[in-house]
Amino acid sequence: MKAIKLSPTDNVATLLGDVEKHDAVEIISADNEVIAEIKALQKITFGNKIALGDIANGEHILKCGHSIGKSIVEIPLGQLVHVQNVRSERLDIPESIIEEIIKQMGIEQ
């Protein structure tokens, strides 16, 4: 499976299909060149983000060269980057909604 890194400064890539835990993920650039290969640490569905390296607690999550939030825990290389480990700086999502998203998506924690 492939994931696209949209900007050279990004620390996440967007999955272009579903991956299972331990699947290899080819990371491609916006120019469709393979730039890395990583192993998914958990099931990640199409359109979601995968960490391209270890992300420290409190670090900005960069997609398309822009911050889309901050990590609330350390996020290891290959892990799903979503509501279970990131908080938006623009939108305050209630904890009950975050818990429901985690439940409905079956996010492994």
Side-chain angles (χ1 to χ4, degrees), residues 34-89:
V34 177
I35 54 176
E37 183 174 294
I38 61 176
K39 187 179 288 189
L41 295 183
Q42 63 197 114
K43 178 181 177 178
I44 306 174
T45 55
F46 167 78
N48 285 293
K49 297 168 296 301
I50 190 169
L52 295 177
D54 294 336
I55 300 172
N57 186 4
E59 188 174 338
H60 286 274
I61 305 301
L62 301 173
K63 181 177 175 181
C64 299
H66 301 280
S67 177
I68 59 169
K70 278 189 175 180
S71 61
I72 58 168
V73 296
E74 291 182 10
I75 304 171
L77 166 72
Q79 186 171 5
L80 169 67
V81 179
H82 201 27
V83 296
Q84 85 286 5
N85 53 22
V86 175
R87 290 298 176 269
S88 173
E89 295 175 287

Side-chain angles (χ1 to χ4, degrees), residues 1-6 12-19 22-30 32-40 48 50-52 78:
M1 187 49 55
K2 293 183 181 184
I4 187 166
K5 180 179 179 181
L6 297 167
V12 296
T14 303
L15 267 289
L16 301 177
D18 296 343
V19 296
H22 303 301
D23 281 356
V25 179
E26 278 190 341
I27 308 302
I28 60 171
S29 69
N32 200 30
E33 295 176 10
V34 177
I35 54 176
E37 183 174 294
I38 61 176
K39 187 179 288 189
N48 285 293
I50 190 169
L52 295 177

